[in-house]
mmCIF file of all heavy atoms in Angstrom:
data_model
loop_
_atom_site.group_PDB
_atom_site.id
_atom_site.type_symbol
_atom_site.label_atom_id
_atom_site.label_comp_id
_atom_site.label_asym_id
_atom_site.label_seq_id
_atom_site.Cartn_x
_atom_site.Cartn_y
_atom_site.Cartn_z
ATOM 1 N N THR A 261 -64.957 74.255 -38.767
ATOM 2 C CA THR A 261 -63.815 73.652 -38.149
ATOM 3 C C THR A 261 -64.126 72.194 -37.820
ATOM 4 O O THR A 261 -63.364 71.312 -37.934
ATOM 5 C CB THR A 261 -63.422 74.412 -36.841
ATOM 6 O OG1 THR A 261 -63.129 75.776 -37.170
ATOM 7 C CG2 THR A 261 -62.277 73.781 -36.153
ATOM 8 N N LEU A 268 -60.510 65.183 -41.497
ATOM 9 C CA LEU A 268 -59.082 64.731 -41.159
ATOM 10 C C LEU A 268 -59.051 63.356 -40.502
ATOM 11 O O LEU A 268 -58.262 62.558 -40.706
ATOM 12 C CB LEU A 268 -58.473 65.810 -40.360
ATOM 13 C CG LEU A 268 -57.003 65.557 -39.913
ATOM 14 C CD1 LEU A 268 -56.044 65.320 -41.158
ATOM 15 C CD2 LEU A 268 -56.439 66.652 -39.049
ATOM 16 N N ILE A 299 -40.852 20.880 -31.850
ATOM 17 C CA ILE A 299 -41.021 19.938 -30.719
ATOM 18 C C ILE A 299 -41.042 18.548 -31.190
ATOM 19 O O ILE A 299 -41.708 18.174 -32.204
ATOM 20 C CB ILE A 299 -42.353 20.258 -29.981
ATOM 21 C CG1 ILE A 299 -42.316 21.702 -29.332
ATOM 22 C CG2 ILE A 299 -42.663 19.187 -28.920
ATOM 23 C CD1 ILE A 299 -43.553 22.060 -28.757
ATOM 24 N N PRO A 366 -56.333 9.843 -30.334
ATOM 25 C CA PRO A 366 -57.661 10.412 -30.102
ATOM 26 C C PRO A 366 -58.728 9.414 -29.654
ATOM 27 O O PRO A 366 -59.699 9.738 -28.997
ATOM 28 C CB PRO A 366 -57.993 11.072 -31.485
ATOM 29 C CG PRO A 366 -56.675 11.469 -32.011
ATOM 30 C CD PRO A 366 -55.761 10.323 -31.614
ATOM 31 N N LEU A 385 -45.875 16.506 -44.872
ATOM 32 C CA LEU A 385 -45.452 15.160 -44.533
ATOM 33 C C LEU A 385 -44.050 15.002 -44.746
ATOM 34 O O LEU A 385 -43.439 15.646 -45.567
ATOM 35 C CB LEU A 385 -46.284 14.119 -45.384
ATOM 36 C CG LEU A 385 -47.717 13.826 -44.971
ATOM 37 C CD1 LEU A 385 -48.442 13.130 -46.117
ATOM 38 C CD2 LEU A 385 -47.749 13.000 -43.727
ATOM 39 N N ILE A 391 -44.143 -1.471 -40.462
ATOM 40 C CA ILE A 391 -43.915 -2.337 -39.382
ATOM 41 C C ILE A 391 -43.471 -3.693 -40.002
ATOM 42 O O ILE A 391 -44.091 -4.135 -41.023
ATOM 43 C CB ILE A 391 -45.225 -2.532 -38.503
ATOM 44 C CG1 ILE A 391 -45.656 -1.175 -37.991
ATOM 45 C CG2 ILE A 391 -44.969 -3.469 -37.355
ATOM 46 C CD1 ILE A 391 -44.740 -0.424 -37.128
ATOM 47 N N ASP A 406 -46.715 -19.765 -42.559
ATOM 48 C CA ASP A 406 -46.332 -20.728 -41.556
ATOM 49 C C ASP A 406 -46.934 -20.367 -40.223
ATOM 50 O O ASP A 406 -47.402 -21.254 -39.494
ATOM 51 C CB ASP A 406 -44.820 -20.735 -41.419
ATOM 52 C CG ASP A 406 -44.154 -21.265 -42.693
ATOM 53 O OD1 ASP A 406 -44.726 -21.960 -43.468
ATOM 54 O OD2 ASP A 406 -42.937 -20.977 -42.854
ATOM 55 N N THR A 427 -49.994 0.956 -29.744
ATOM 56 C CA THR A 427 -48.991 1.400 -30.706
ATOM 57 C C THR A 427 -49.373 0.914 -32.100
ATOM 58 O O THR A 427 -50.168 -0.003 -32.245
ATOM 59 C CB THR A 427 -47.622 0.961 -30.394
ATOM 60 O OG1 THR A 427 -47.610 -0.508 -30.326
ATOM 61 C CG2 THR A 427 -47.163 1.457 -28.987
ATOM 62 N N LEU A 431 -51.390 -2.540 -33.063
ATOM 63 C CA LEU A 431 -52.573 -2.572 -33.841
ATOM 64 C C LEU A 431 -52.435 -3.236 -35.142
ATOM 65 O O LEU A 431 -53.359 -3.861 -35.720
ATOM 66 C CB LEU A 431 -53.086 -1.128 -33.967
ATOM 67 C CG LEU A 431 -53.464 -0.488 -32.701
ATOM 68 C CD1 LEU A 431 -53.875 1.043 -32.883
ATOM 69 C CD2 LEU A 431 -54.715 -1.160 -32.042
ATOM 70 N N GLU A 434 -52.873 -6.775 -34.467
ATOM 71 C CA GLU A 434 -54.344 -7.036 -34.343
ATOM 72 C C GLU A 434 -54.988 -7.184 -35.767
ATOM 73 O O GLU A 434 -55.784 -8.089 -36.021
ATOM 74 C CB GLU A 434 -55.045 -5.937 -33.581
ATOM 75 C CG GLU A 434 -54.639 -5.812 -32.116
ATOM 76 C CD GLU A 434 -55.396 -6.826 -31.251
ATOM 77 O OE1 GLU A 434 -56.198 -7.561 -31.760
ATOM 78 O OE2 GLU A 434 -55.209 -6.819 -30.032
ATOM 79 N N TYR A 449 -44.678 -5.363 -24.312
ATOM 80 C CA TYR A 449 -43.471 -4.988 -23.572
ATOM 81 C C TYR A 449 -43.452 -3.527 -23.308
ATOM 82 O O TYR A 449 -44.073 -2.728 -24.051
ATOM 83 C CB TYR A 449 -42.177 -5.373 -24.356
ATOM 84 C CG TYR A 449 -41.911 -6.864 -24.392
ATOM 85 C CD1 TYR A 449 -42.544 -7.693 -25.307
ATOM 86 C CD2 TYR A 449 -40.989 -7.420 -23.511
ATOM 87 C CE1 TYR A 449 -42.266 -9.042 -25.324
ATOM 88 C CE2 TYR A 449 -40.699 -8.774 -23.558
ATOM 89 C CZ TYR A 449 -41.374 -9.632 -24.428
ATOM 90 O OH TYR A 449 -41.073 -10.951 -24.456
ATOM 91 N N GLY A 451 -40.708 -1.684 -23.546
ATOM 92 C CA GLY A 451 -39.732 -1.143 -24.448
ATOM 93 C C GLY A 451 -39.142 -2.261 -25.323
ATOM 94 O O GLY A 451 -39.373 -3.409 -25.142
ATOM 95 N N MET A 456 -36.346 -7.515 -27.525
ATOM 96 C CA MET A 456 -35.300 -8.023 -28.406
ATOM 97 C C MET A 456 -34.528 -9.166 -27.828
ATOM 98 O O MET A 456 -34.263 -10.175 -28.412
ATOM 99 C CB MET A 456 -34.328 -6.898 -28.816
ATOM 100 C CG MET A 456 -34.887 -5.773 -29.476
ATOM 101 S SD MET A 456 -35.080 -5.807 -31.302
ATOM 102 C CE MET A 456 -35.456 -7.409 -31.586
ATOM 103 N N ILE A 464 -40.146 -15.634 -27.185
ATOM 104 C CA ILE A 464 -41.378 -15.271 -27.916
ATOM 105 C C ILE A 464 -41.173 -15.682 -29.362
ATOM 106 O O ILE A 464 -40.042 -15.754 -29.852
ATOM 107 C CB ILE A 464 -41.810 -13.817 -27.805
ATOM 108 C CG1 ILE A 464 -40.650 -12.909 -28.283
ATOM 109 C CG2 ILE A 464 -42.212 -13.433 -26.337
ATOM 110 C CD1 ILE A 464 -40.963 -11.410 -28.289
ATOM 111 N N ALA A 513 -50.324 -0.834 -42.893
ATOM 112 C CA ALA A 513 -50.234 -0.311 -41.591
ATOM 113 C C ALA A 513 -48.831 0.296 -41.414
ATOM 114 O O ALA A 513 -47.802 -0.390 -41.275
ATOM 115 C CB ALA A 513 -50.536 -1.298 -40.476
ATOM 116 N N ILE A 529 -46.998 31.715 -43.902
ATOM 117 C CA ILE A 529 -45.904 31.118 -43.135
ATOM 118 C C ILE A 529 -45.931 29.576 -43.341
ATOM 119 O O ILE A 529 -44.875 28.965 -43.486
ATOM 120 C CB ILE A 529 -46.021 31.519 -41.613
ATOM 121 C CG1 ILE A 529 -45.618 32.995 -41.566
ATOM 122 C CG2 ILE A 529 -45.094 30.651 -40.774
ATOM 123 C CD1 ILE A 529 -45.745 33.520 -40.136
ATOM 124 N N ILE A 557 -39.514 8.543 -48.288
ATOM 125 C CA ILE A 557 -39.678 9.991 -48.260
ATOM 126 C C ILE A 557 -41.033 10.311 -48.828
ATOM 127 O O ILE A 557 -41.502 9.768 -49.862
ATOM 128 C CB ILE A 557 -38.621 10.633 -49.254
ATOM 129 C CG1 ILE A 557 -37.174 10.287 -48.689
ATOM 130 C CG2 ILE A 557 -38.757 12.131 -49.199
ATOM 131 C CD1 ILE A 557 -36.922 10.738 -47.307
ATOM 132 N N GLY A 559 -43.111 14.036 -48.297
ATOM 133 C CA GLY A 559 -43.224 15.493 -48.729
ATOM 134 C C GLY A 559 -44.595 15.736 -49.208
ATOM 135 O O GLY A 559 -45.550 15.058 -48.936
#
Side-chain angles (χ1 to χ4, degrees):
T261 302
L268 178 60
I299 295 176
L385 281 164
I391 303 300
D406 294 338
T427 59
L431 297 174
E434 292 279 2
Y449 286 83
M456 297 276 35
I464 56 175
I529 290 178
I557 303 298

